Amino acid sequence: MSDIHSDKILILDFGSQYTQLIARRVRECHVYCELHPFDMALGEIKAFQATGIILSGGPKSVYEDGAPVIEEELFELGIPVLGICYGMQLMSRHFGGEVVPAGKREYGHAELVGQGSPSPLFDGFFSDGTSSVWMSHGDHVATMPQGFAVVAKTANAPVCAIQNVERNLYGVQFHPEVNHTLKGEQLINTFVRKVCDCSGQWIPGQIVKDAIVRIREQVGNDQVILGLSGGVDSSVAAALIHRAIGEQLHCVFVDNGLLRLDEGDQVMATFASNMGVKVIRVNAQQRFYNALSGIADPEQKRKIIGNLFVDIFEEESKQIPNAKWLAQGTIYPDVIESAGAKTGKAHNIKSHHNVGGLPAYMTLKLLEPLRELFKDEVRAIGEELGLPHSMVWRHPFPGPGLGVRILGEVKEEYCDILRRADAIYIDELYESGHYHKISQAFAVFLPVKSVGVMGDGRTYEYVIALRAVETKDFMTAGWYPMPYEDLARISNRIINEVKGINRVTYDISSKPPATIEWE
């Protein structure tokens, strides 16, 4: 491992809905981390050479039959450990403490009060005597573990934070990783940077330098094909790989008929004209429409689109001597959502074309220089590489494109309608100043018709749904509170300017329980 990986935090996942947020908070401390399943073997834990370990929360009780457990020797490795919620209860039970069902469950805000001896973990945390934290538990520690001291309590949890300073073991019943905990980021930063003594090498400039070295070592003198979509991830990957190997990179831009309005021309202008990157444009609209004909299941659509992309990349690679690599803009959330490749415990919410949709027959080797990065880290890398601000901060666009923004079967007619509606929506967001306040916004085509009236005549046409969310990490997201007057103007323009639409709706679902994309 290189210097940027010299300090690293191991996060063991017990199934908490917040586990990915723990990783985000650690990265914000400029320290590398990885998520792994709770049953990671002790030998693998030792080989990982973690600077510190965090045990996540989880939905089960530690005293249940079949409840997740860890290697007993983990607490004897001499590595600082922070247990969060279930992690604290597991730590308590290991050292002889008793965990029982709480008389009153705690969900939501609670006031944390410091007590007992000073704590390295809570340095500066109780400047006002108390601090607001976020609880989500039905069990609590009833009998203290041997060798530990109580650090903090709430009205309903007399043991809410514990420590054994000599062993560098700490536990908190609340969730410092969520935004609702007022000083949660500070607590995680204290654990990572002070308790674990991590130096903070995980910064954009260092990540770029490391990636360039690794790309050159992987590729050698081979030629690389990159699937360029115009989205943030593939654009940053292209710029990074081009910085590393220059003329050895050949970008293939596939116009699959599932792109945004005028996307093809914009991509060609940005990369081929302004950045000097070699871009091959392949017009394959009809191939994709034919392949998707009659297919309504979203997973099938994703895999068909992914496989056809690879077919085209393979065909193009045969025209380039010594082309042996397929580069993609795969990022960490793609990996996590595509069945939790790091944890092995997550449900498969949806496969991503560049993770779960690649066919076994592919002959090109994969090059994924962004695979360790979250979306905001990718954007920071893009800025470090000098990409235009408008490109770096463009809202994400899924690899399967409009194929997963058209519910059910994909038809050319539906794509044309959605393209025009989406362009109006995004144009209005720019004009009204909302675009850069929103993390992601797009239109969705619903293949159902509703009755309307235009010019005193009856209409029976399709429905467009508008989606806009706010999020820091794309793991959780809240719907954006769009002013009514702006929604009215957008709806009016779409209905008047896009033939085939007579109704517009606004999606007010958060993630979870919904996902950001509809498919």
Side-chain angles (χ1 to χ4, degrees):
M1 284 267 185
S2 58
D3 286 343
I4 61 171
H5 298 94
S6 57
D7 288 328
K8 49 185 183 288
I9 301 297
L10 171 63
I11 301 167
L12 294 180
D13 180 20
F14 292 88
S16 169
Q17 60 179 314
Y18 302 132
T19 303
Q20 291 84 8
L21 291 180
I22 300 173
R24 281 298 312 116
R25 299 298 170 251
V26 173
R27 296 286 184 88
E28 288 167 2
C29 302
H30 306 302
V31 174
Y32 181 70
C33 65
E34 287 185 17
L35 296 174
H36 286 272
F38 67 85
D39 55 0
M40 185 179 187
L42 185 66
E44 293 177 340
I45 292 173
K46 289 179 177 178
F48 186 80
Q49 296 184 318
T51 317
I53 297 174
I54 298 178
L55 310 178
S56 84
K60 292 187 177 294
S61 297
V62 293
Y63 48 78
E64 285 182 34
D65 289 339
V69 295
I70 53 175
E71 295 278 4
E72 293 286 315
E73 294 178 53
L74 181 140
F75 296 113
E76 313 302 325
L77 296 176
I79 301 170
V81 180
L82 170 63
I84 296 174
C85 197
Y86 185 94
M88 169 180 150
Q89 294 169 7
L90 200 66
M91 182 186 295
S92 298
R93 207 158 187 251
H94 174 82
F95 288 98
E98 184 183 15
V99 179
V100 300
K104 183 178 180 181
R105 296 184 299 174
E106 277 190 306
Y107 295 99
H109 284 286
E111 284 301 311
L112 189 71
V113 181
Q115 67 175 56
S117 57
S119 170
L121 184 64
F122 285 87
D123 184 28
F125 198 86
F126 296 113
S127 54
D128 300 322
T130 65
S131 189
S132 181
V133 298
W134 186 259
M135 292 290 212
S136 181
H137 69 103
D139 299 326
H140 70 183
V141 176
T143 305
M144 282 291 292
Q146 189 173 359
F148 283 75
V150 178
V151 179
K153 65 179 182 178
T154 68
N156 294 312
V159 180
C160 198
I162 59 174
Q163 67 179 14
N164 183 324
V165 178
E166 289 182 3
R167 287 177 171 266
N168 256 339
L169 303 178
Y170 301 86
V172 294
Q173 185 60 69
F174 59 92
H175 287 273
E177 68 271 28
V178 302
N179 288 330
H180 305 299
T181 294
L182 193 60
K183 294 183 179 179
E185 292 180 12
Q186 175 184 320
L187 185 141
I188 290 177
N189 186 76
T190 300
F191 176 74
V192 171
R193 299 298 295 272
K194 294 184 179 179
V195 174
C196 299
D197 196 28
C198 294
S199 58
Q201 295 294 314
W202 192 256
I203 55 177
Q206 293 295 102
I207 295 171
V208 168
K209 289 179 183 177
D210 178 81
I212 288 171
V213 170
R214 288 203 281 173
I215 291 166
R216 288 172 178 167
E217 287 177 352
Q218 271 187 279
V219 171
N221 295 319
D222 299 338
Q223 302 294 301
V224 177
I225 301 288
L226 182 140
L228 187 62
S229 70
V232 176
D233 302 332
S234 70
S235 297
V236 172
L240 181 59
I241 296 169
H242 187 254
R243 175 77 63 89
I245 60 173
E247 294 293 305
Q248 290 171 251
L249 174 66
H250 307 263
C251 292
V252 177
F253 174 71
V254 180
D255 189 340
N256 59 3
L258 308 174
L259 302 173
R260 291 170 284 199
L261 193 66
D262 300 326
E263 184 102 58
D265 295 338
Q266 291 170 8
V267 169
M268 296 300 292
T270 299
F271 282 90
S273 303
N274 300 330
M275 296 179 62
V277 177
K278 288 186 284 191
V279 183
I280 302 163
R281 182 169 183 169
V282 179
N283 294 316
Q285 298 94 326
Q286 206 55 54
R287 285 180 69 176
F288 279 85
Y289 292 147
N290 291 343
L292 292 167
S293 179
I295 305 298
D297 179 75
E299 276 297 288
Q300 276 189 275
K301 289 195 292 184
R302 285 176 177 272
K303 284 184 166 55
I304 287 169
I305 293 167
N307 287 358
L308 192 45
F309 266 125
V310 172
D311 288 346
I312 292 169
F313 297 147
E314 292 262 5
E315 290 165 13
E316 294 301 322
S317 71
K318 290 177 172 56
Q319 311 303 315
I320 301 168
N322 205 35
K324 296 181 180 178
W325 296 85
L326 172 63
Q328 297 189 130
T330 307
I331 65 173
Y332 205 28
D334 295 342
V335 176
I336 293 169
E337 280 202 333
S338 292
K342 287 291 182 185
T343 68
K345 305 300 176 186
H347 286 216
N348 188 353
I349 305 302
K350 56 186 177 183
S351 62
H352 289 259
H353 74 291
N354 50 354
V355 180
L358 295 175
Y361 59 78
M362 189 179 80
T363 60
L364 294 168
K365 294 178 287 186
L366 277 182
L367 179 64
E368 299 173 313
L370 309 181
R371 191 180 176 89
E372 294 179 339
L373 305 177
F374 284 94
K375 179 70 73 173
D376 60 323
E377 294 174 318
V378 172
R379 288 197 164 110
I381 296 302
E383 291 190 324
E384 182 75 20
L385 292 166
L387 284 173
H389 184 271
S390 59
M391 174 178 286
V392 172
W393 290 98
R394 192 179 191 187
H395 291 178
F397 188 62
L402 302 185
V404 291
R405 291 180 178 175
I406 294 170
L407 300 197
E409 184 181 3
V410 176
K411 297 181 180 180
E412 186 173 1
E413 172 199 0
Y414 297 168
C415 291
D416 291 338
I417 289 172
L418 180 55
R419 247 188 293 274
R420 294 197 296 273
D422 187 75
I424 290 170
Y425 182 30
I426 300 303
D427 178 61
E428 284 292 334
L429 293 181
Y430 274 115
E431 285 295 315
S432 59
H434 290 295
Y435 187 85
H436 290 297
K437 298 176 185 176
I438 295 169
S439 304
Q440 188 170 1
F442 53 90
V444 178
F445 179 88
L446 308 185
V448 293
K449 290 186 174 183
S450 69
V451 174
V453 58
M454 292 183 184
D456 297 326
R458 178 184 184 275
T459 62
Y460 189 55
E461 295 177 333
Y462 295 109
V463 180
I464 286 288
L466 304 178
R467 182 75 158 137
V469 298
E470 296 176 295
T471 178
K472 285 186 70 175
D473 45 46
F474 290 87
M475 294 297 180
T476 61
W479 60 276
Y480 182 75
M482 192 84 68
Y484 292 150
E485 58 270 22
D486 293 318
L487 283 173
R489 186 174 61 256
I490 294 165
S491 173
N492 187 60
R493 276 198 63 189
I494 290 173
I495 290 171
N496 280 315
E497 297 177 32
V498 182
K499 187 177 180 181
I501 298 298
N502 69 357
R503 193 175 298 273
V504 174
T505 67
Y506 190 62
D507 183 353
I508 57 169
S509 310
S510 295
K511 176 187 179 181
T515 54
I516 295 175
E517 297 285 349
W518 278 42
E519 288 192 342

